[in-house]
Short mmCIF file of all heavy atoms in Angstrom, two decimals:
data_model
loop_
_atom_site.label_atom_id
_atom_site.label_comp_id
_atom_site.label_asym_id
_atom_site.label_seq_id
_atom_site.Cartn_x
_atom_site.Cartn_y
_atom_site.Cartn_z
N CYS B 77 0.34 2.29 -8.41
CA CYS B 77 0.87 2.48 -9.76
C CYS B 77 0.45 1.31 -10.64
O CYS B 77 0.68 0.15 -10.31
CB CYS B 77 2.40 2.56 -9.73
SG CYS B 77 3.08 2.73 -11.39
N GLU B 79 1.61 0.61 -13.54
CA GLU B 79 2.76 0.04 -14.26
C GLU B 79 3.49 -0.98 -13.39
O GLU B 79 3.66 -2.13 -13.78
CB GLU B 79 3.76 1.14 -14.65
CG GLU B 79 3.16 2.28 -15.45
CD GLU B 79 2.65 1.83 -16.82
OE1 GLU B 79 3.31 0.98 -17.44
OE2 GLU B 79 1.57 2.31 -17.24
N CYS B 80 3.94 -0.53 -12.23
CA CYS B 80 4.85 -1.37 -11.44
C CYS B 80 4.18 -1.97 -10.22
O CYS B 80 4.78 -2.78 -9.51
CB CYS B 80 6.08 -0.56 -11.00
SG CYS B 80 5.69 0.78 -9.85
N SER B 82 3.46 -0.66 -7.45
CA SER B 82 3.88 -0.13 -6.15
C SER B 82 2.72 0.61 -5.47
O SER B 82 1.80 1.08 -6.14
CB SER B 82 5.06 0.82 -6.33
OG SER B 82 4.69 1.92 -7.11
N CYS B 117 3.27 6.15 -11.16
CA CYS B 117 4.15 6.71 -10.13
C CYS B 117 5.29 7.49 -10.79
O CYS B 117 5.52 7.35 -11.99
CB CYS B 117 4.69 5.60 -9.25
SG CYS B 117 6.04 4.66 -9.96
N CYS B 120 7.87 5.36 -12.90
CA CYS B 120 7.35 4.83 -14.15
C CYS B 120 7.06 5.96 -15.14
O CYS B 120 7.24 5.80 -16.34
CB CYS B 120 6.09 4.01 -13.89
SG CYS B 120 6.46 2.50 -12.96
ZN1 ZN E 4 5.31 2.61 -10.97
#
Side-chain angles (χ1 to χ4, degrees):
Chain B
C77 178
E79 305 296 321
C80 66
S82 63
C117 78
C120 293

